[in-house]
Each structure stands twice: as C-alpha cells, then as structure tokens.
Amino acid sequence: RDEFAAILEDCSLLDACAIAENIRCVVQRYEYMGKKGIHRVEVSIGLTVLVPGKTSPEDALHDADSACYEAKHAGRNRVWVHSDSGHTADA
C-alpha cells in the first residue's frame, strides 16, 4: 500500500476533482500478472481545500486522509472530497 500527496496551486475544487478523476482512470488501466492471474490497480483519492492562513499542514493531511478513508469505505476506486463542515462527499 502506497500513499502520496499532491498540492495543486491556484486550482479550483472542480478542476482538482477532474484531475483526481483523470489520475484514478489512468491508474485503473494498469494491469499486472499475479499468482492468481491478471490484476487491476485501483486508487482511492481524498481531496481537501487548503485555505491560506487557516489550514495547517497537519489539518490538511488529516482532512485528505479522512476523505481517502471515506472513499475506501464507500467502495474504493473513487474520488472523495472533504468539506469545511467536516463531512465528505463523493466527487
């Protein structure tokens, strides 16, 4: 299991969702041969909006991680957005 973070500067939430969905689709096309045959790679992506002067690095990572967990909990292989209300939603 690998995790990584990306910060998209000057990017609207709508554009960030489109970028994340594009990444999800590209990764999903990757296949590899395992002991039990061909497997597809899936990716769950959690997004959060950074508010300059308000969002600490720790809070940003926590919110994105929470959204990623919700994406996994909702069935994996999807993009999920953390909102300011503390709730998350399918992108």
Side-chain angles (χ1 to χ4, degrees), residues 6-91:
I7 297 175
L8 306 174
E9 287 188 280
D10 300 320
C11 185
S12 71
L13 181 57
L14 185 62
D15 288 343
C17 287
I19 291 166
E21 179 62 18
N22 187 40
I23 291 169
R24 190 196 64 76
C25 289
V26 168
V27 169
Q28 184 177 351
R29 289 193 298 250
Y30 178 76
E31 296 177 340
Y32 67 94
M33 180 60 88
K35 291 180 181 179
K36 296 183 180 181
I38 295 176
H39 301 279
R40 268 212 163 114
V41 176
E42 294 182 341
V43 61
S44 298
I45 299 174
L47 297 177
T48 189
V49 176
L50 305 179
V51 180
K54 284 184 137 183
T55 308
S56 71
E58 296 82 12
D59 287 343
L61 287 173
H62 176 268
D63 293 347
D65 191 51
S66 293
C68 188
Y69 174 79
E70 289 297 326
K72 291 175 184 177
H73 183 70
R76 300 183 178 273
N77 198 35
R78 62 189 65 228
V79 177
W80 212 265
V81 179
H82 183 274
S83 73
D84 289 334
S85 67
H87 297 95
T88 54
D90 202 358

